Every structure is written in structure tokens, then in C-alpha cells.
Amino acid sequence: MAPLGELLAGVRGVLLDISGVLYDSGAGGGTAIAGSVEAVARLKRSRLKVRFCTNESQKSRAELVGQLRRLGFDISEGEVTAPAPAACQILKERGLRPHLLIHDGVRSEFDQIDTSNPNCVVIADAGESFSYQNMNSAFQVLMELENPVLISLGKGRYYKETSGLMLDVGPYMKALEYACGIQAEVVGKPSPEFFKSALQAIGVEAHQAQ
């Protein structure tokens, strides 16, 4: 195996995932994955620029960062690229008024968004709010639109918590796609635009990042 210096030749920045890489979420704030706090600290001390990328859509960035800091991570809200703020920017740019099928923990991210007379649906990892009634309400909104728009904050199948594996937003997104005969617009990983925005935030080109 090549020395670390050779492997990082030409690299100016690092994009780090959070859930399942730095920590496992769960009751009591979750737990840091062994060695992750120290690894982030070492990267911060290096010449590399660091950006955190997450599909977390049950918590606001402020809540997520507060949780990570309590676990010992050196991280600030301004260093995190998350799907909810990115979705809000898209909604404003396109004049979209969403019906929100989201977790209460991330609702504050949409406080400045007009949700009257919805002309699209935004779906995220809503957890216990993924009831039949709420899914059907989102379905009805989409079916009443001439050009239905479904925006999904990520499309993961499942993720890991300290209590075990949990269904993510992807299966519910797919249900609405199938029922309405449409394709969702994904904001978050693995969307190329999501990673581009993270790289732009640290002023690094794709070929210069790991």
C-alpha cells in the first residue's frame, strides 16, 4: 500500500459523511464511532479543508451540530451541507409552495417557506409521521397537480441507530413515485449537485477532494 502522503497527493479537501461514519444516532444522542472524534480532530489540524455532508432530515443543522459537539466533535453549523437548507433554496428559486411530509425536528428549517396552496410535495425521513393518513395526503396533493413535483431529502433505504436498522425516506419516496407515476427530485446524497455545493463551500474542485 502506498504511503499516506502519496495517497493524498493533490488532495485539498475532504468530504465526510456523518451518520454511520462519525456516529450512530439513537436514544440519548447516539454514540460516536470508535476513533471518529480523533480522526476529525486530526483532519482539522491538517492542511486539508473539511466539509461535513449529511442526509439527516429528522434534525435541523443546529440540533445535529449540538448533538455532535456533545459527543466531542469539533464541528460548526457552517461546516455542514444538509438537504433541508438546499431544498429551501430550490423552493425559493422556483416559486414552489410545499406540502411538507417531514419530521417535526426539521420543520424549523422551513419556517421562511410559504406552504399555502401547495404546488409540490417535500418528503423527508418523517419517522413516526409516515402514517397512512399523511402519506395519502401527500399522494392527493400530487395527484391534483397538473405537473406534480415531488422533492425528496435523500433516497436512502435504511440507516443504523443504536437500537438497530431503521427505514429511511427512500421506500416512502418510491411508494409515492409508483402511485403517482412520477420521478422524485432528490436533494442530498447521492445527487451530484449536492456534492458540488459542498465542494463549492470549501473552494475545492472534485478532483482535489476525497
Side-chain angles (χ1 to χ4, degrees), residues 64 104 156:
L64 175 63
D104 285 343

Side-chain angles (χ1 to χ4, degrees), residues 133-150:
Q133 180 178 356
N134 289 342
M135 283 289 289
N136 199 54
S137 293
F139 163 74
Q140 290 174 335
V141 168
L142 290 168
M143 292 299 286
E144 290 171 0
L145 296 172
E146 183 177 352
N147 297 301
V149 175
L150 173 61

Side-chain angles (χ1 to χ4, degrees), residues 32-78:
I33 292 173
S36 58
V37 173
E38 295 79 8
V40 169
R42 287 182 63 190
L43 284 171
K44 288 291 193 77
R45 291 194 299 267
S46 75
R47 61 177 176 79
L48 299 172
K49 297 181 179 181
V50 178
R51 188 76 182 173
F52 301 90
C53 299
T54 180
N55 271 358
E56 173 62 64
S57 61
Q58 285 197 354
K59 305 178 185 71
S60 67
R61 277 190 301 178
E63 182 183 354
L64 175 63
V65 165
Q67 185 171 308
L68 290 169
R69 289 182 69 86
R70 287 190 291 274
L71 291 174
F73 291 98
D74 177 10
I75 184 173
S76 66
E77 190 174 341

Side-chain angles (χ1 to χ4, degrees), residues 15-192:
L15 301 183
L16 291 176
D17 198 350
I18 295 179
S19 180
V21 174
L22 301 185
Y23 91 121
D24 287 327
S25 59
T31 58
I33 292 173
S36 58
V37 173
E38 295 79 8
V40 169
R42 287 182 63 190
L43 284 171
K44 288 291 193 77
R45 291 194 299 267
S46 75
R47 61 177 176 79
L48 299 172
K49 297 181 179 181
V50 178
R51 188 76 182 173
F52 301 90
C53 299
T54 180
N55 271 358
E56 173 62 64
S57 61
Q58 285 197 354
K59 305 178 185 71
S60 67
R61 277 190 301 178
E63 182 183 354
L64 175 63
V65 165
Q67 185 171 308
L68 290 169
R69 289 182 69 86
R70 287 190 291 274
L71 291 174
F73 291 98
D74 177 10
I75 184 173
S76 66
E77 190 174 341
E79 295 176 301
V80 178
T81 296
C88 288
Q89 184 64 33
I90 291 171
L91 294 171
K92 291 175 181 177
E93 290 174 353
R94 293 166 56 181
L96 294 172
R97 303 178 304 277
H99 171 90
L100 296 173
L101 179 49
I102 62 177
H103 195 279
D104 285 343
V106 79
R107 198 168 293 275
S108 62
E109 298 275 20
F110 294 86
D111 281 349
Q112 304 303 313
I113 299 296
D114 181 6
T115 57
S116 63
N117 189 25
N119 57 3
C120 73
V121 168
V122 170
I123 185 173
D125 179 9
E128 296 298 327
S129 293
F130 276 135
S131 64
Y132 173 82
Q133 180 178 356
N134 289 342
M135 283 289 289
N136 199 54
S137 293
F139 163 74
Q140 290 174 335
V141 168
L142 290 168
M143 292 299 286
E144 290 171 0
L145 296 172
E146 183 177 352
N147 297 301
V149 175
L150 173 61
I151 296 175
S152 182
L153 306 192
K155 63 173 186 178
R157 294 180 296 163
Y158 58 86
Y159 56 92
K160 183 181 179 184
E161 286 197 347
T162 53
S163 60
L165 298 179
M166 311 292 288
L167 277 177
D168 204 345
V169 65
Y172 301 96
M173 178 199 80
K174 286 294 184 183
L176 289 175
E177 283 185 332
Y178 177 69
C180 301
I182 60 175
Q183 184 170 352
E185 300 177 28
V186 177
V187 178
K189 301 176 297 178
S191 165

